[in-house]
Amino acid sequence: MNPTRIIIDTDPGVDDALTFLLALASPEIKLEALTTVRGNVTVEMATRNALSILEVANASHIPVAQGCSLPLVSELSVSGEAVHGQSGIGKATLPEPKSKVVAQHAIDSLIERIVAEPDEITLFTIGPMTNLALAIRKEPRIVSALKGLVIMGGAIRQGGNVTPLAEFNIHADPHAAHIVFHSGIPMTLIPLDVTYKCLLTSADVEQLNKIDSPIARFVSDATATYMDFYRRYEGFDGCALHDPLTLATIIAPELLTFEEHHVDVDISGGVSMGNTFADFMNVSKKPANMKVALDVRGREFVELFVERMESLCVRLSEAKHLPHHKRDSAVATDAPSHRPDAPSGE
Ligand code: RIB
Ligand code: CA
């Protein structure tokens, strides 16, 4: 089966970084490009982090395009520093990247790549949706050209993580989310309702670090700040795999439970700014505009994540002994299939 071709729009960010690694470790996925946006950190920092993380994963052949440095309307009110550290990648330290960002702006890169190959690319937005919203306004054909859109964002029945009613990615640019939610793109929402059920624990990280690998060390160092934050402020040992869970829509969709609803976002500017709400009773009589993940077998997803990280560590150490020209393709090959209920030979 051909891998799903994806672009990730991102604000790395610790869990963003873990998402890149999971994509590279998953043969079901072909990561075509990264586009960066201001969110957890400035867009310059996000871009540097994206280039560096690809480098440590031996994937510098994947292009990175820099995007918007500010939300559409309201100034970013909350930074992600407390969770992701000043660097955006926790306590991990990565060398200055050797590879360079592409000259094209992220908006133009998204438009060009997606419109050039209609129904081929699935976009994953795991930060504020500023780039996508402006791409829709600049080139409306992107709406019909996208094969699909998977959004990490929102909180439906779950409370918010940046205000009591709003999740960070949506709250950081609610007007962008409003444009996207009303665009008509076939979309799937992965909200806090399910991501908080996917907690990577310190025991999982210790398990991974039994492998002597720069990837295992990166995961440990990057999640350290994240774990401290959750221990101190949310009272549990672990960090939520918010962004990586979006990839379960490709690598393990059987772990997710979806419902179709009309979902909207509050841009009225009051106390519930950025609140995302589903019309469960269909009182608005509006058609559903997205699939919403409202339950997940979270521990199974975390175990799949750790398995894929372990296989990535092994493959990268094997790749180190290959001649340079063979290394890029050695990253994501035959990861163990997770699908216990999948027909054999899938
Ligand atoms: O609310 C979780 C989201 O906010 C994730 O994308 C995380 O990276 C932060 O950006
Ligand atoms: Ca993110």
Side-chain angles (χ1 to χ4, degrees), residues 42-344:
T42 64
V43 72
E44 293 80 10
M45 181 72 81
T47 303
R48 180 211 181 278
N49 289 342
L51 291 166
S52 302
I53 296 153
L54 290 177
E55 210 145 284
V56 80
N58 197 33
S60 294
H61 57 287
I62 293 171
V64 178
Q66 182 164 307
C68 294
S69 58
L70 284 173
L72 296 188
V73 178
S74 41
E75 173 49 42
L76 198 67
S77 57
V78 177
S79 96
E81 203 169 305
V83 181
H84 302 269
Q86 203 170 23
S87 69
I89 46 174
K91 295 176 180 163
T93 51
L94 294 177
E96 272 305 306
K98 298 184 189 68
S99 49
K100 297 293 175 220
V101 70
V102 301
Q104 206 174 32
H105 191 281
I107 296 171
D108 297 317
S109 180
L110 287 170
I111 291 170
E112 184 174 288
R113 288 175 176 279
I114 292 165
V115 173
E117 295 192 84
D119 206 28
E120 282 292 326
I121 305 291
T122 300
L123 177 62
F124 284 69
T125 58
I126 59 174
M129 290 185 269
T130 316
N131 292 333
L132 177 56
L134 288 175
I136 292 168
R137 286 292 183 259
K138 180 171 185 181
E139 180 44 87
R141 286 184 300 154
I142 199 171
V143 169
S144 54
L146 262 175
K147 181 175 184 180
L149 168 65
V150 181
I151 301 165
M152 191 283 130
I156 302 299
R157 292 194 177 103
Q158 161 86 32
N161 61 352
V162 72
T163 74
L165 289 168
E167 177 276 329
F168 178 85
N169 287 338
I170 305 297
H171 184 266
D173 197 339
H175 302 90
H178 194 274
I179 289 172
V180 173
F181 283 13
H182 293 266
S183 66
I185 296 171
M187 69 188 85
T188 299
L189 189 72
I190 306 293
L192 297 182
D193 303 63
V194 287
T195 61
Y196 271 122
K197 293 181 178 178
C198 301
L199 298 183
L200 183 74
T201 67
S202 44
D204 294 320
V205 176
E206 279 155 35
Q207 160 80 19
L208 181 59
N209 270 271
K210 287 177 182 165
I211 303 176
D212 176 19
S213 156
I215 294 290
R217 281 188 292 280
F218 173 79
V219 171
S220 178
D221 295 344
T223 56
T225 310
Y226 215 157
M227 297 261 193
D228 292 346
F229 176 90
Y230 276 107
R231 210 171 283 123
R232 190 173 320 126
Y233 295 107
E234 312 226 5
F236 52 71
D237 165 37
C239 62
L241 294 179
H242 299 296
D243 293 338
L245 185 59
T246 57
L247 298 183
T249 56
I250 299 173
I251 66 176
E254 70 282 0
L255 299 183
L256 291 162
T257 302
F258 294 103
E259 293 179 16
E260 298 208 351
H261 292 292
H262 184 85
V263 175
D264 210 335
V265 53
D266 182 346
I267 54 172
S268 58
V271 69
S272 58
M273 183 70 153
N275 176 242
T276 49
F277 48 94
D279 182 1
F280 288 108
M281 305 288 284
N282 195 225
V283 292
S284 69
K285 301 293 178 259
K286 290 178 183 173
N289 58 347
M290 61 180 78
K291 274 171 53 174
V292 188
L294 288 170
D295 202 359
V296 62
R297 291 170 8 215
R299 186 62 209 160
E300 286 183 61
F301 175 72
V302 174
E303 287 166 1
L304 172 59
F305 174 80
V306 174
E307 274 168 34
R308 292 284 168 105
M309 287 303 102
E310 288 171 336
S311 62
L312 182 64
C313 291
V314 171
R315 273 204 300 287
L316 277 176
S317 63
E318 289 165 354
K320 250 193 321 201
H321 305 304
L322 291 173
H324 272 279
H325 69 283
K326 287 193 176 179
R327 289 185 184 181
D328 288 348
S329 59
V331 170
T333 49
D334 51 350
S337 164
H338 164 71
R339 314 280 291 275
D341 52 355
S344 59

Side-chain angles (χ1 to χ4, degrees), residues 11 15-16 40 126-127 169 243:
D11 61 338
D15 56 330
D16 304 68
N40 290 318
I126 59 174
N169 287 338
D243 293 338

